[in-house]
Amino acid sequence: MPNLTSIPAFELKGSLTTLMVLHLFKSDQEAITVQLADKVAQAPQFFQHAPLLIDLQDLGEPHLSALDLTHLVELLRKHGLVPVAIRGGTDPQKQLALNLTLGILPQNSRSESREKPQIEVESEPVILNTSAKIISHPVRSGQQVVALQGDLVVLSPVSHGAEILAHGHIHVYSALRGRALAGVNGDTQARIFCQQLEAELVSIAGQYQINEGLPHHLQGKAAQIFLVGEELKIEAL
Amino acid sequence: MSTVIVVTSGKGGVGKTTTSAAFATGLALRGHQTVVIDFDVGLRNLDLIMGCERRVVYDFVNVINGEGTLNQAIIKDKRVDSLFILPASQTRDKEALTLKGVYRVIEALKKRFEYIVCDSPAGIEHGAIMAMYFADEALIVTNPEVSSVRDSDRIIGLLSSKTHRAAQNLDPVKEHLLITRYAQKRVTKGDMLSAQDIQDILAIPLLGIIPESKSVLQASNSGVPVTLDKASDAGQAYLEVVARFLGEEVSNSQKKGFLSHWFGKK
Ligand SMILES: Nc1ncnc2c1ncn2[C@@H]1O[C@H](COP(=O)(O)OP(=O)(O)OP(=O)(O)O)[C@@H](O)[C@H]1O
Ligand SMILES: [Mg+2]
């Protein structure tokens, strides 16, 4: 008879990974709906299937009790996000979260209230990993590479029809022919650097330029792209 | 040890079937036990190009469905000793190919053959995925035009994600670039991409360049793999491709040395 217990069929381990966190500051449904749609529109692919933690710790009363968690979860799912757990909240909200098959994360000790915009999506490193994501193989048409946190460094060509996205800067030490979106979470300081600019689209914090609008004299040249105010600057390196 | 080679491109009509027939014939001419499988279920034409269309009884799908045995379905080439063809079905569609079924057939073929050449259908859908799934190596057939190069790029991406080697975390599928229908005159005129342009974009090793040649159409109309036509420049180029694939240093025999720039020195 086969022994069902002695040969391990799995391993259960704790692990540290990065998770996107939605910090709520208000319960205003309309404001959340509008601002979320806006955020997602900046980099729809980035948010597709991304697991998300809903953080209610900074939500003071009366907002906390007024928050419609069911509606919020529906809204997030509609945008392709995958809420996985909540942090903070009232006991009834925790019960509701469980009913929505969300997990419950323990409260953070951090509790200083912050003056913040109403809604902010940020990538919070659960483990402090400041190093950039480095890709040394070509990014092919139809492929997408995302650096959820920090910078993205690509050492090979990025093809037409490929898409690369980063929380921070993007460096391409080769030809950039596809789409590159830096500062996808709204970091206006993010920049794109590339050895050979042939991009289909470049974007910093949602401000974008398509290939046709790239300066002619920089086509195929080493260039950097950055924001000055609302304006996208494209300069030779 | 057997090697499974997929001949693929994404884009249609670039010369996959021509290449599959010529390449498999070339391998067999060098004495290797070789079988070439037509994965283009519903649009079979490998058997036409191989000149065995009137000898098809059972096909690939029959074997998968257990309606016939592999031995019944495999057709032995009349000209080259160690060359065999597994034809596609004309009356089914590509959904008839299942991963499990393809796996069983390929495993069975591995017992008999050194090289298993898979002629992929065009596209990036089910049929193409079935053809590439069990590949160890891939010939990426590309014509010197932008749309073909772009589709090849897409296919190379799939080779690194949608194959059993990717799923099992094995060494990646070994990729070879094969540029076909190359017309130096049109490249010089700027109508076509140069081999250098194509290599810059695809960034995989170049295995060979097959010139655009009238002899290809003549050969396929008469059901003869172009590698058997000694007078054909394309046939000679395919033979060199085979030699290079087998790891030989090939000095290039092309007239006017149009390949010498690429393969002249190592
Ligand atoms: N080197 C060449 N010179 C001239 N014509 C060629 C060459 N290679 C292929 N052709 C022609 O191109 C056409 C398409 O070739 P083939 O059927 O091999 O392409 P394929 O990629 O298999 O097409 P499909 O995607 O439909 O399966 C045929 O008419 C063939 O004769
Ligand atoms: Mg074909």
Side-chain angles (χ1 to χ4, degrees), chain A residues 27 44 99 102 175 187 215 231:
Chain A
S27 60
N99 293 345
L102 299 181
D187 181 0
E231 200 192 340

Side-chain angles (χ1 to χ4, degrees), chain B residues 13 15-18 20 38 40 43 45-46 49 119-122:
Chain B
K16 291 179 294 296
T17 302
T18 303
S20 299
D38 191 348
D40 208 344
L43 284 173
N45 47 40
L46 179 68
I49 292 189
D119 178 19
S120 174

